Amino acid sequence: MRISTSESWSNALNNLTMAQTRQQTANDQVATQKVATDLGGYGRTSEIIASYQSSLSRTNAYLDVTQTVADRLNSQDLAITTTSDAVSSAKDSIMSSLANGTGTTLMLDMQGSFSAALSGLNYRHNGQYLFNGGNDNAAPVSINSMSQLAGVTSSDDVFTNGTVKKSSQIDAGTTIQTGMLASELGSKLMSLYKEVQDYNDDPTTGPFGDQLTDAQKDFLTTKSQEFGKLYDDMLQQGALNGTMQKRVENTQTSLQGQADSLSQLVDKRTSVDMAEAYSNLQQAQVAVQASAQVLANLNSTSLLNLLK
């Protein structure tokens, strides 16, 4: 009888190694709930999986962009609303003075609405001015009080914003311009405030005192109408911003649907059947134990024992 101890040891070691490899694979599948830990483990389907994952990555990137744009548009809505409310407040102040026939508190009330308008035009989002047109070094409106308008030749001189309007690519085929400029939103507004300030400061027409003159009433009536028209214009800007918000929201919904579908396709290709994985793990553990026992038996068996 011929005994090949080396061959027996080699076969036993190979069996143990393969059993341990199967156990590790089964362990990984149970732990990760995936068929493999890298694309190389998926064989011929790896290219399909890679394609799905690439598309999913791009879709998620667009989702991040749309969320950023949505947040900025929400801030723009607040800023436009703040400015619109300031315009309405200015009109109400003038109408109140006309109704009472006195301008004693008019300029103080106008300064209050002016400060609110500045808050809207100089509104910040994530630390950056919304309507600065790419000029990050200063607020888009450079003054902080209505009286400072008297010192400028034109109301346009108070604007320091640039001319770049923010644009964003929200999906593979759509780029929308969402940015607005303070100079476009507030040019007429600053002009109206300046006209009221100049009229009040001119000794031949002002100041607005306890009793409004007929000329002052006529002037303020005209300004109240112009502030009313400007309020309607600001509402249109708010509506435009709302239209962009809706468009971005619809794009987000579409992208999320795409992302969910792609995630399901990836999961279908990569997720493991957990019942099968647990079964494979148990079988692998039994195989490892059996292979280890064979090695233990070989270790305790020698040629001398066989010859006894």
Side-chain angles (χ1 to χ4, degrees), residues 13 27 34 38 68 90 107 125 135 143 163 188 192 242 266 297:
L13 284 172
N27 267 323
K34 300 295 180 183
D38 55 53
T68 298
M107 294 308 291
H125 172 70
N135 182 9
I143 59 176
T163 59
K188 179 60 177 177
L192 286 177
V266 171
N297 292 339

Side-chain angles (χ1 to χ4, degrees), residues 97 103-112 146 193 196-198 200-201 207-208:
S97 291
T104 304
T105 63
L106 177 59
M107 294 308 291
L108 182 62
D109 293 339
M110 292 295 288
Q111 174 58 47
M146 188 174 165
Y193 278 120
V196 173
Q197 185 69 52
D198 289 344
N200 179 77
D201 293 346
F208 300 113

Side-chain angles (χ1 to χ4, degrees), residues 2 16 33 42 132 196 205 242 251 308:
R2 183 177 178 184
L16 178 60
Q33 299 184 15
Y42 291 99
N132 66 354
V196 173
T205 56
T251 300
K308 284 183 179 180

Side-chain angles (χ1 to χ4, degrees), residues 149-291:
L149 286 168
V152 297
T153 303
S154 168
S155 58
D156 290 338
D157 294 340
V158 304
F159 294 101
T160 61
N161 57 268
T163 59
V164 179
K165 296 181 181 181
K166 289 186 180 297
S167 295
S168 302
Q169 184 173 353
I170 57 175
D171 62 28
T174 307
T175 298
I176 62 173
Q177 180 179 283
T178 57
M180 298 180 179
L181 304 178
S183 56
E184 293 182 353
L185 288 171
S187 178
K188 179 60 177 177
L189 178 58
M190 289 297 113
S191 178
L192 286 177
Y193 278 120
K194 178 173 171 54
E195 289 169 11
V196 173
Q197 185 69 52
D198 289 344
Y199 192 94
N200 179 77
D201 293 346
D202 188 339
T204 63
T205 56
F208 300 113
D210 186 54
Q211 289 289 114
L212 292 175
T213 66
D214 289 340
Q216 288 174 338
K217 290 178 181 179
D218 290 341
F219 171 79
L220 291 176
T221 298
T222 299
K223 293 304 120 180
S224 70
Q225 294 170 349
E226 291 177 355
F227 271 108
K229 173 63 169 60
L230 180 58
Y231 179 71
D232 291 338
D233 293 341
M234 292 300 298
L235 291 182
Q236 289 297 317
Q237 293 298 319
L240 173 61
N241 191 78
T243 298
M244 290 189 291
Q245 286 179 296
K246 188 62 178 178
R247 184 175 184 181
V248 171
E249 180 184 338
N250 290 339
T251 300
Q252 281 183 301
T253 300
S254 176
L255 288 170
Q256 189 60 61
Q258 294 175 38
D260 291 343
S261 295
L262 287 167
S263 293
Q264 291 172 6
L265 288 172
V266 171
D267 287 342
K268 185 177 180 180
R269 295 276 183 173
T270 61
S271 295
V272 72
D273 183 328
M274 292 305 294
E276 183 180 350
Y278 278 117
S279 176
N280 290 340
L281 178 59
Q282 292 174 344
Q283 292 176 14
Q285 289 172 337
V286 171
V288 168
Q289 293 172 358
S291 298

